[in-house]
Amino acid sequence: MLTLAVLISGTGSNLRALLDAASHPDFPARVVVVGADREAEGLAHAEEFGIPTFTVPWGSFDSREAWGEELARELDVWTPDLVVLSGLMRLLPASVVARYAPRIINTHPAYLPEFPGAHGVRDALAAGVTQTGASVIVVDDGVDTGPILAQERVPVHPGDTEHSLHERIKPVERRLLIDVVRRIATGELALTG
Ligand code: GAR
């Protein structure tokens, strides 16, 4: 059974989908802990499933490195096989990436390498493209530059807002994420840094 630590910053709707999937007895992975960089709304999903949570508040540390050290300390308690960034809106310091690589994956609401960074949906809209997408990648030291594990196109509709487009992308992200986790757990997909 593959053990997962999931890190979030926001509402955790993708986390929720992963928790639902992982609660089925035949799913080959289990969420053992959920962490956040703030008092994220999504931590409530973990609590509902009886999964332990922790918060390492970004604002309480002087540097990314110090924040990352504390984050790694919290993660290490659970010895997760895989760390899943599911809407964590902070870059991990290189020391944390090195500690877990290549066992850290990230979901992103764009068809990477298009529109990396914190505003993937907004940037796609601003660029006027007719399609964007969703990606699941291995985390490396860059901003959304790691090896792509899965991705799929999502259409942009006329009149889309950032919210409406993001809501169309998220179900695709969830499906890709759950499938990637399943394939890593079964050994069908090997992680390389
Ligand atoms: C997701 O779309 C995720 O890909 C994105 O934040 C959203 C979290 O939604 N992450 C990034 O943009 C990271 N660069 P959720 O909290 O409802 O799961």
Side-chain angles (χ1 to χ4, degrees), residues 91-99 101 138-147:
L91 285 181
L92 295 176
S95 58
V96 175
V97 175
R99 187 175 187 82
V138 176
V139 174
D140 68 6
D141 279 342
V143 179
D144 299 322
T145 50

Side-chain angles (χ1 to χ4, degrees), residues 104-108 112 135-139 144-150:
I104 315 181
I105 64 173
N106 184 31
T107 64
H108 185 73
L112 291 168
S135 306
V136 180
I137 63 168
V138 176
V139 174
D144 299 322
T145 50
I148 292 165
L149 299 172

Side-chain angles (χ1 to χ4, degrees), residues 10-15 86-89 107-109 117 144 166 170 173:
T11 56
S13 63
N14 291 351
L15 160 70
S86 183
L88 180 75
M89 301 307 284
T107 64
H108 185 73
D144 299 322
H166 205 166
K170 279 187 183 184
E173 278 190 81

